[in-house]
Amino acid sequence: MSDQRKPFVAGNWKMNMDAASSRALAAELAAAAGSFGDVDVAVCPPFPYLAVVAEAVNGSPVELGAQNVYHEPKGAFTGEVSTAMLLDVGCRYVILGHSERRHILGESDADVNRKLLAALDAGLCPIVCVGEKIEQREAGETGKVIREQFEGSLAGLSAAQASKIVIAYEPVWAIGTGKVATPEQAEEVHADLRSLLEQRYNADVAAAVRIQYGGSVKADNAASLLGQPNIDGALVGGASLTAEAFLPIVEAAAS
Ligand code: PGA
């Protein structure tokens, strides 16, 4: 972490929880928020529970995010959700291009780019995910994959727009597997992402953008990951589903 960027920890609940457990967890986090310290915290529940969670965190520093959005503003797009709907229900953040959407649901960099431009236009703060698969890492292609996802997903973004996004580096092989990247492996990619921002934009943009690490972040590995100079927070899946697992990660980010 650096002094320049406020740490940011977000919980990605994925397709888990129900209305009652969403409300209870959100209320527990909101109640604990007084001790968060200097760190931004958000939770990203499934669409049906956004309103429930919005109500439970209302008035607390816990922010709301969605896990996806569609790029068109409205109309005949059965099953999709717009940026205006997310704002209407109280979202500040939206996760885009998560590896499960890229690799299970078939989202391309072009899809992520359309969503990113729509989210920025609407005033949402996008969390743009990038990350390599294990075979790509083993073939020495990590840098190339990250650069392609960065360039494709951020195509057409101005420096002013780029400075408003959050990037999440999530190695696919570390997501939900318990196999966490070492702090050195993660830091290497985070530093590469920051230099891509500097090359493409400028030093101010590179210094402003928060880059989260995601992939099996837990209480016991959070401090060493977050201790790296270019790791500015965490995008947490499994360990975001209970307050006991999630709050120590927030604490690690604050200290
Ligand atoms: P995990 O998921 O923490 O369960 O590995 C992280 C993510 O996919 O955002």
Side-chain angles (χ1 to χ4, degrees):
M1 288 185 293
S2 94
D3 293 343
Q4 249 170 323
R5 296 175 292 274
K6 188 171 179 188
F8 175 32
V9 177
N12 173 10
W13 294 1
K14 307 192 180 183
M15 200 171 73
N16 294 298
M17 311 293 274
D18 58 19
S21 57
S22 294
R23 187 180 296 111
L25 174 54
E28 227 179 314
L29 298 179
S35 59
F36 278 176
D38 199 23
V39 44
D40 287 335
V41 175
V43 289
C44 306
F47 287 140
Y49 309 131
L50 284 170
V52 164
V53 171
E55 201 182 307
V57 300
N58 188 26
S60 89
V62 179
E63 298 273 5
L64 189 65
Q67 298 173 19
N68 184 28
V69 74
Y70 194 58
H71 66 274
E72 291 286 353
K74 64 190 282 196
F77 303 103
T78 301
E80 296 296 334
V81 167
S82 72
T83 55
M85 291 170 187
L86 296 187
L87 288 167
D88 193 25
V89 82
C91 286
R92 171 158 182 203
Y93 297 98
V94 60
I95 299 171
L96 297 177
H98 188 278
S99 72
E100 286 144 21
R101 297 215 56 85
R102 289 178 185 270
H103 302 305
I104 303 175
L105 284 308
E107 269 185 27
S108 65
D109 286 330
D111 293 324
V112 178
N113 183 240
R114 278 189 283 272
K115 292 174 182 211
L116 176 54
L117 291 169
L120 285 165
D121 252 6
L124 284 162
C125 176
I127 302 172
V128 184
C129 303
V130 297
E132 82 288 1
K133 295 181 176 179
I134 189 64
E135 58 271 24
Q136 294 168 325
R137 173 162 285 269
E138 284 170 352
E141 292 169 356
T142 300
K144 174 174 159 276
V145 170
I146 299 298
R147 189 173 60 250
E148 281 169 7
Q149 290 180 342
F150 173 90
E151 281 167 5
S153 304
L154 274 62
L157 253 66
S158 68
Q161 286 174 313
S163 66
K164 293 192 183 118
I165 73 170
V166 173
I167 297 177
Y169 168 55
E170 299 207 310
V172 179
W173 48 271
I175 296 178
T177 59
K179 267 190 232 156
V180 65
T182 65
E184 295 72 27
Q185 282 174 323
E187 171 62 17
E188 187 183 4
V189 177
H190 282 238
D192 282 353
L193 280 163
R194 209 172 295 290
S195 60
L196 286 170
L197 286 165
E198 177 154 8
Q199 285 158 32
R200 167 106 175 257
Y201 299 105
N202 55 54
D204 288 346
V205 172
V209 170
R210 294 184 291 185
I211 308 178
Q212 297 175 316
Y213 168 80
S216 298
V217 177
K218 304 272 181 297
D220 61 2
N221 58 33
S224 59
L225 287 159
L226 290 160
Q228 299 297 313
N230 286 293
I231 301 185
D232 307 311
L235 183 54
V236 186
S240 71
L241 298 178
T242 64
E244 299 73 57
F246 189 61
L247 289 172
I249 299 171
V250 176
E251 262 169 51
S255 61

